Amino acid sequence: MEEKLTMKQLLAILAAGLFSFCGVLIETATNITFPTLMNEFHISTSLVQWMTTGNLLMMGIMIPISSYLKRRFQTKKLFLVAGFLFSIGLIVDIFAQQFTLLLIGRFIQGAGVGIALPMMYNIILEESPERLLGLMMGCGSFVTAAAPAIGPTFGGIMTQYFTWRYIFICVLPVIVLASFIGYFCMSEQIINKHEKFDLLSFIAVALAFVSLIMGFSNLNQIVDDLVFVLGCFIIGIISLYYFTKRQLHIKNSLIRIEIFNHKGFTFHTLAIMFLQMTTLGYGLLLPTFVQIVLKQSATDAGVVLLPGAIVGAVFAPIGGLILDRLGAKKPIVLGLCCSFIATFCFLFFFKNLTYQSCILFYFIYSLGIGLIVGNTMTSAMSHLPKNLQADGNATLQTLMQLSGGIGTSITATILAFVQQGTNLYDGTNRGALFVLIFLMFNINIVILSQYFAFKGGRKNEFKDKVVVITGGTSGIGKQTAIEFSRKGAHVVAFTVDKEEVCKQAIKEIGNEAFYIHCDVSKEEDVKKAIEEVVLKYGRLDCAFNNAGIGPDGVRMPYESLTEISEKTWDLVVDVDMKGVFLCLKYELLQMQKQGFGAIVNTASIGGHKMAPGFAAYGPAKAAVIALTEMAALENAAFGIRVNAICPGPTMGTELTKNSLSTNPHEEAMLKEHVIPMKKLATTQEVVNAVLWLSSDQASHTTGQKIFIDGGMHIA
């Protein structure tokens, strides 16, 4: 990763950011126009809110496929398509003479923003230096947070002094400019032209979002249309369930659901969802309350959000700087305190709310939001491996749009329901109180979610990962299993050891590890063992193909080509070479379905540097190196890394121990004349290499052979 961002990268982020900015700008600006649109088109509150909800819905449908689009198409081409759609939507709204056409234009805009929005965060995650990641994510949040600072005031001025159509007229040239910048500055990336689009998954997620939004939008009609509302919720839940199950069982999934196996990511995402519901709820409630209850103008209604939106935007990058220096927890906790206090004040002083107090309380709330949103997204992504971050970003952005639509719908529903049967002033005043109670409930959910995110989040990078280790009940294999287990992984040992040996080893490994009797030289054994692991855990994160054997199972095979028997050759080659091949085959098949995984094979210094007497062992280990390179080449595009370790003589292994026992002078000879560092490797030194190669710290390392031999390979 580069130490600094280039100007081209910064411009690419800017171009994508302008799309996000304009999308939120129009969303918050049009909220101000709701009373005007209601009068002009003779529509209700529940209908006019579809100006926001419909746009968010289209974004929510398009964003889930952003991870697929990223893998399948060049970024700059996608960006041009997004710009074209956004521009067409703006033109439709500029000339719309009916509310239906106005909604169609907003839907088209939502499709364009839905394609472009994830690009900004993907660029930041992929190209920002680690030391600046918090700041850059904060800047991304600044872009989207700056829009609410301008949007309401902008919308109020356009509505009061010109016409609401100028909201769309003014944005059009910005989108055209952003499209040109993006086209020339977006970098090219490796694409998979052969990846198929799963239409059924797309239909399922689209149906789920439409149904859920329709259900929430019509909650105020539940008494009159009970069947319709309940039907929407049932269809939405079933569609979402089908989508989720399908992603787990198809090769080319739209979104890799495995991201939710990471608890820190899951709870942070939940917090973001309820926070988005709260923020969008405030964005609809306050301008409406100010105009109808406090009798202020449309411009004043826009200004009520301005100071808060400005401070929220400013504190987004400041919060990112704090994260880079102190971690995510401190700025997030401070932000939660601000948001809670502000919402409490709205409720406590509700009967005496003034225009000025609304500005003050929303200012405090938005200060908290500036500290929370970007840092929560950064912290959420930190719980995912690099190869899953695009899926995590797509999921996070999707759920933000869905929850934003739900928040807007519920707020509008509460207001519309209470307004029925009474005058607009009294209905809006009472409805605002119920909305604030709803928003306070959301804030408490956010606090609980953040608590569990930090409490149950990643203690280390192997937390809850599924690791298979062949030969995992002795020597290097067992020590590696113990270390993986200590770091929170679910360890499965493949072994041919006797039951009592296995039980004792599993007791030492701990953390609910278990073993599967598996002869790695038999294809059916390996196939069934991998299937059993996947059946139990649903995935396979890491594999360590370590099983090795000598002529009698315990000694190194010291025999020349002319001395070795066919039986010994077959025995050694079957386990040390064929066993690695079979394990690789079925591990890779599973990891290809997932789109991620890390594999480490045990080769040997003897596979790199031939020595007399290693007639079977040396060629078998050389073949392991070749297999490693082949597997790495064939599977890099799937997000799978395959590497090999090449230990020299290692203390703590049965092969070395038993071999040295037959020749007491060999150890001294190795130290004095063969190993430059004058010592044998320890088991822990080998294990450390395996752990590193299996970790995200080696995220760009594949096809390598790592020597743990004290310099033997260069002597």
Side-chain angles (χ1 to χ4, degrees), residues 367-629:
L367 190 154
I369 297 302
L371 292 170
I372 297 172
V373 176
N375 288 331
T376 300
M377 292 175 64
T378 305
S379 185
M381 292 300 143
S382 73
H383 290 276
L384 299 177
K386 290 288 185 182
N387 58 320
L388 288 181
Q389 287 188 347
D391 296 273
N393 181 39
T395 301
L396 190 56
Q397 298 296 331
T398 299
L399 293 177
M400 285 178 67
Q401 306 312 316
L402 175 63
S403 56
I406 291 173
T408 303
S409 297
I410 292 177
T411 299
T413 296
I414 293 172
L415 290 174
F417 184 81
V418 181
Q419 286 169 350
Q420 292 177 359
T422 185
N423 63 73
L424 190 61
Y425 172 89
D426 290 336
T428 303
N429 193 37
R430 289 203 305 267
L433 178 61
F434 288 110
V435 171
L436 287 170
I437 294 172
F438 164 68
L439 300 182
M440 175 58 83
F441 171 80
N442 288 349
I443 291 293
N444 282 286
I445 297 296
V446 173
I447 293 172
L448 285 173
S449 298
Q450 297 285 27
Y451 170 78
F452 286 114
F454 287 113
K455 182 182 179 181
R458 183 179 64 182
K459 296 179 181 177
N460 56 71
E461 57 194 318
F462 295 113
K463 176 68 175 176
D464 293 328
K465 287 196 173 182
V466 181
V467 181
V468 162
I469 301 176
T470 68
T473 55
S474 64
I476 293 172
K478 185 170 78 173
Q479 189 60 39
T480 305
I482 291 172
E483 292 299 322
F484 269 119
S485 183
R486 286 174 178 171
K487 295 179 180 297
H490 301 291
V491 176
V492 185
F494 291 2
T495 180
V496 291
D497 286 335
K498 295 179 180 179
E499 185 176 359
E500 56 269 20
V501 175
C502 293
K503 288 183 177 180
Q504 179 58 36
I506 293 300
K507 185 177 180 181
E508 293 180 49
I509 295 170
N511 195 34
E512 300 181 356
F514 74 100
Y515 72 93
I516 298 175
H517 190 277
C518 175
D519 184 344
V520 296
S521 66
K522 297 179 179 178
E523 182 168 14
E524 191 61 28
D525 275 22
V526 176
K527 183 174 182 289
K528 287 183 178 179
I530 295 295
E531 288 175 348
E532 186 173 341
V533 172
V534 176
L535 182 64
K536 182 177 178 65
Y537 294 109
R539 69 190 195 281
L540 174 60
D541 296 288
C542 308
F544 180 33
N545 298 320
N546 173 70
I549 197 170
D552 59 3
V554 294
R555 294 178 296 110
M556 293 292 288
Y558 292 127
E559 291 179 293
S560 69
L561 282 172
T562 55
E563 295 171 336
I564 193 170
S565 68
E566 183 180 3
K567 181 181 178 181
T568 300
W569 172 274
D570 288 343
L571 178 64
V572 174
V573 170
D574 277 356
V575 176
D576 292 7
M577 182 178 74
K578 181 183 175 183
V580 173
F581 156 67
L582 291 174
C583 289
L584 275 173
K585 177 179 178 180
Y586 290 101
E587 290 159 359
L588 289 169
L589 285 171
Q590 173 59 31
M591 290 178 177
Q592 286 174 358
K593 294 177 183 177
Q594 304 168 170
F596 66 90
I599 299 174
V600 180
N601 300 319
T602 296
S604 170
I605 177 63
H608 169 77
K609 195 172 186 178
M610 294 296 116
F614 287 81
Y617 190 82
K621 292 299 184 180
V624 170
I625 295 173
L627 281 168
T628 298
E629 294 177 351

Side-chain angles (χ1 to χ4, degrees), residues 144-157:
T144 54
I150 302 171
T153 303
F154 170 67
I157 292 172

Side-chain angles (χ1 to χ4, degrees), residues 27 45 70 120 133 174 241 285 414 592 656 670 696:
E27 182 182 309
T45 302
K70 181 178 183 295
M120 177 177 65
L133 185 57
V174 179
Y241 175 79
L285 172 66
I414 293 172
Q592 286 174 358
T656 299
L670 289 170
D696 292 337

Side-chain angles (χ1 to χ4, degrees), residues 228-247:
F228 174 77
V229 175
L230 289 180
C232 287
F233 283 122
I234 292 171
I235 293 172
I237 293 170
I238 292 174
S239 299
L240 196 59
Y241 175 79
Y242 173 78
F243 172 79
T244 303
K245 294 291 290 184
R246 186 168 177 81
Q247 304 317 292

Side-chain angles (χ1 to χ4, degrees), residues 27 49-64 106-107 110-111 114 202 205-214 217 398 400-406 409:
E27 182 182 309
Q49 59 92 19
W50 274 94
M51 285 283 290
T52 298
T53 304
N55 179 263
L56 292 174
L57 178 62
M58 284 302 301
M59 292 171 63
I61 293 173
M62 296 303 299
I63 291 173
R106 292 290 288 143
F107 274 49
F202 178 71
V205 73
L207 185 60
F209 276 53
V210 171
S211 300
L212 291 172
I213 291 294
M214 289 290 291
S217 299
T398 299
M400 285 178 67
Q401 306 312 316
L402 175 63
S403 56
I406 291 173
S409 297

Side-chain angles (χ1 to χ4, degrees), residues 257-287:
I257 304 298
E258 298 82 20
I259 56 178
F260 291 111
N261 291 325
H262 302 268
K263 295 179 182 178
F265 173 83
T266 301
F267 282 112
H268 276 316
T269 299
L270 187 64
I272 284 286
M273 288 177 62
F274 278 89
L275 201 65
Q276 186 79 344
M277 290 172 62
T278 306
T279 301
L280 270 290
Y282 269 123
L284 175 58
L285 172 66
L286 289 181

Side-chain angles (χ1 to χ4, degrees), residues 301-353:
V303 172
V304 74
L305 302 176
L306 180 60
I310 291 175
V311 77
V314 170
F315 268 80
I318 292 175
L321 282 172
I322 298 173
L323 180 145
D324 289 331
R325 288 164 173 77
L326 302 176
K329 188 174 182 179
K330 291 183 178 179
I332 289 175
V333 170
L334 180 58
L336 289 172
C337 292
C338 292
S339 300
F340 179 86
I341 291 170
T343 306
F344 177 82
C345 288
F346 269 117
L347 280 168
F348 189 80
F349 297 105
F350 179 74
K351 291 184 178 180
N352 299 306
L353 282 176

